[in-house]
Amino acid sequence: MQVKVFEAESMAAALKKVKATFGPDALILSTRTIRTGPLGLLQRPRIEITAAIEEDPVETAELYNRSATKRPVKVQSEKGTDESIDYRQLWRKRKVIDPVESELQAMDRQARGEDITSLRAELQELKAAIRELNRPAPSVPPQPAPINTAEPAARPNVKASGSERIERLILDLKARDLDDSTAETLARYAGERLNSHQLADPNYLNRFFLDTISDLLRFASPLGDGDGQKRLALVGPTGVGKTTTIAKLAAEYLRQRNGRVALFTIDTYRIAAPEQLRIYGDIMNLPVEVIYSPEQLRTAFAAHSDKDLILIDTSGRSHHDQTGMSELAAFLGPDARTENHLVLATGTRGRDLTDIVASFRRIPLASLIFSKIDETRQRGALLDLPLRQNLPISYLTNGQRVPEDILAAEPTLVAECILGQQ
Ligand SMILES: Nc1nc2c(ncn2[C@@H]2O[C@H](COP(=O)(O)OP(=O)(O)OP(=O)(O)O)[C@@H](O)[C@H]2O)c(=O)[nH]1
Ligand SMILES: [Mg+2]
């Protein structure tokens, strides 16, 4: 990755320099206003942008510059002949491996055919048991167990299960970051349903947990559902990847179907925020509306009534910021008829996640998007939080690349992520 600092007299001029050097794949890492020289504050402020790129900057910048003129771009087709397409088409033609499809192909269907379906009838019971454990969090966070002192026999509640295998299973599930009570419920469930041979067989056990976890969760696929205009808003704490995920979703939608898309942002909190979305809008040739008030949002919806999909970016809000939450509710309350997806960084601590969801419930929440799954192996929240909050998962994001690093949430994939097999 190359990182470079760009400086100019205005945000627009600085962004132009970033685009010219790094092209459309540039990542805007930070922006700030600087004053230099002996006169300090009296100097005219300049804008500094720190940007980064992972690919060949010359090639991408050249491609972008040519597309910005709206003239057809010459690209080498897969057959080796030249063909003229516009940038929007080029974007759609990017080869994106469907992770779910390739995952399904890779699965051992034979093995999955084994008959554990009778166990699924019991899952409602298990769901209820896990929800039952949704007690208010203790005021003092539990201390993590010191490494290597987790002697199963020393744990009285574990002893009650009466099986060393179950004890080990509980520890194993906890090591995968599952909440204590969820780990114990799942392990006991396995203990009740499986015979000793099955419990001793790691492959069988693995398949059992994959299927059990898959069946416990609910999934939503907002881009694929329903007729009529879709209005998807991404909300969440600061820096979790909302804007990047908006760009990924727009690209994914354009790749899948020939729909009309507009990008809105109500993130006018920081000077560079609308610019970040504008860059993505430029790249995909999509209209971008910067919205300053709930009234303007209504007007913009009316102006874009011809669009199939409107993606709405919002500013990151600390869940402690009650004023910010009220502002958000004024934009995205039930009247706005938006589907609000809460984006959460997967590595966030469990108690914080619970507090964040509680705060964002000021607006109607349709589903959860777990971002940055590539940054942590501690992914128990993918199971605990949706179960306890009774919310479906719609997407996972697994990197900074736009549009590639997004996965539609799908049962096996999510279960594998939770069990650390992805
Ligand atoms: N590793 C990793 N980084 C990501 C992912 N999604 C986004 N990022 C990075 O996280 C940083 C913040 O992303 P943004 O999309 O600007 O986050 P945001 O939620 O819009 O941030 P605010 O608008 O400031 O609240 C950027 O550097 C992104 O490239 C992901 O799935 N994995
Ligand atoms: Mg943002």
Side-chain angles (χ1 to χ4, degrees):
M1 174 183 275
Q2 284 187 48
V3 179
K4 201 166 158 37
V5 178
F6 299 85
E7 200 189 303
E9 65 283 356
S10 69
M11 181 61 70
L15 283 169
K16 218 168 158 186
K17 284 185 177 176
V18 176
K19 285 179 188 175
T21 309
F22 280 170
D25 290 337
L27 300 165
I28 309 296
L29 301 179
S30 69
T31 61
R32 66 183 181 125
T33 307
I34 45 170
R35 290 182 170 84
T36 52
L39 291 178
L41 288 173
L42 297 178
Q43 289 278 317
R44 212 178 137 76
R46 291 176 67 78
I47 302 295
E48 183 190 280
I49 296 183
T50 307
I53 186 78
E54 285 187 292
E55 295 174 357
D56 179 348
V58 179
E59 195 182 297
T60 47
E62 195 189 332
L63 192 58
Y64 180 81
N65 288 336
R66 280 189 280 160
S67 73
T69 65
K70 305 280 186 270
R71 273 183 277 118
V73 181
K74 288 274 187 194
V75 293
Q76 197 76 14
S77 81
E78 281 171 16
K79 289 175 193 145
T81 56
D82 276 356
E83 58 181 3
S84 294
I85 58 170
D86 67 25
Y87 196 86
R88 193 173 156 129
Q89 283 171 317
L90 181 65
W91 185 275
R92 279 200 203 127
K93 284 187 174 198
R94 288 177 75 148
K95 193 163 187 241
V96 180
I97 296 164
D98 184 339
V100 174
E101 192 49 40
S102 57
E103 201 47 50
L104 285 174
Q105 282 167 8
M107 262 179 359
D108 180 357
R109 290 172 210 280
Q110 199 64 35
R112 288 181 55 79
E114 287 198 48
D115 183 24
I116 55 173
T117 47
S118 62
L119 297 171
R120 292 188 182 169
E122 314 284 343
L123 286 176
Q124 291 308 321
E125 200 184 299
L126 180 61
K127 272 189 199 179
I130 289 177
R131 289 220 185 92
E132 188 69 16
L133 292 162
N134 191 9
R135 293 179 292 267
S139 53
V140 179
Q143 294 300 309
I147 296 167
N148 284 337
T149 59
E151 182 55 53
R155 299 180 161 230
N157 58 340
V158 167
K159 249 186 181 174
S161 74
S163 157
E164 259 189 37
R165 278 209 185 90
I166 301 303
E167 291 164 3
R168 267 188 244 120
L169 215 47
I170 292 172
L171 291 177
D172 192 0
L173 290 168
K174 282 185 190 173
R176 288 157 208 263
D177 189 42
L178 290 187
D179 176 272
D180 287 6
S181 54
T182 308
E184 286 174 21
T185 308
L186 281 174
R188 290 212 183 90
Y189 180 68
E192 279 170 26
R193 303 292 168 232
L194 305 184
N195 63 36
S196 55
H197 293 295
Q198 291 165 335
L199 276 174
D201 176 351
N203 290 332
Y204 195 94
L205 214 46
N206 196 47
R207 283 198 307 279
F208 174 81
F209 279 121
L210 279 180
D211 282 354
T212 304
I213 290 174
S214 304
D215 285 352
L216 280 172
L217 292 169
R218 290 192 296 128
F219 301 91
S221 54
L223 292 186
D225 291 347
D227 296 326
Q229 186 182 74
K230 284 222 152 256
R231 298 170 179 177
L232 242 69
L234 298 200
V235 299
T238 54
V240 290
K242 297 177 294 298
T243 308
T244 314
T245 306
I246 290 263
K248 291 172 183 175
L249 287 173
E252 181 61 15
Y253 188 81
L254 294 174
R255 189 179 72 81
Q256 280 177 10
R257 62 189 74 195
N258 200 13
R260 284 156 300 183
V261 182
L263 307 180
F264 288 8
T265 178
I266 58 175
D267 183 1
T268 51
Y269 193 58
R270 289 166 305 127
I271 184 168
E275 291 306 328
Q276 193 187 352
L277 198 69
R278 270 204 191 100
I279 293 174
Y280 287 123
D282 278 1
I283 293 168
M284 288 180 270
N285 208 8
L286 299 176
V288 175
E289 297 281 358
V290 182
I291 311 282
Y292 290 90
S293 69
E295 297 70 43
Q296 198 191 342
L297 181 63
R298 278 193 285 277
T299 316
F301 279 144
H304 289 276
S305 57
D306 62 323
K307 301 296 183 301
D308 303 302
L309 176 66
I310 296 179
L311 291 164
I312 305 159
D313 194 14
T314 63
S315 42
R317 300 287 185 188
S318 155
H319 55 288
H320 301 301
D321 172 9
Q322 288 310 316
T323 314
M325 289 297 156
S326 304
E327 277 170 24
L328 201 60
F331 280 98
L332 302 177
D335 291 350
R337 292 191 293 110
T338 52
E339 244 182 51
N340 304 320
H341 294 249
L342 177 59
V343 186
L344 298 166
T346 311
T348 310
R349 283 178 26 166
R351 286 196 64 211
D352 288 334
L353 286 173
T354 307
D355 291 348
I356 291 166
V357 179
S359 288
F360 278 91
R361 285 232 189 242
R362 288 280 297 272
I363 58 169
L365 293 179
S367 125
L368 301 173
I369 294 177
F370 283 96
S371 66
K372 306 192 179 186
I373 59 163
D374 55 306
E375 287 189 352
T376 180
R377 305 303 281 176
Q378 304 295 300
R379 299 172 184 154
L382 263 64
L383 177 62
D384 291 320
L385 196 70
L387 266 185
R388 289 167 192 275
Q389 299 289 339
N390 198 16
L391 282 167
I393 310 176
S394 49
Y395 290 95
L396 309 177
T397 76
N398 61 338
Q400 292 183 290
R401 290 174 310 165
V402 179
E404 293 93 332
D405 293 337
I406 187 161
L407 308 165
E410 176 270 341
T412 308
L413 177 77
V414 174
E416 286 181 346
C417 280
I418 293 167
L419 293 176
Q421 295 158 8
Q422 279 279 338

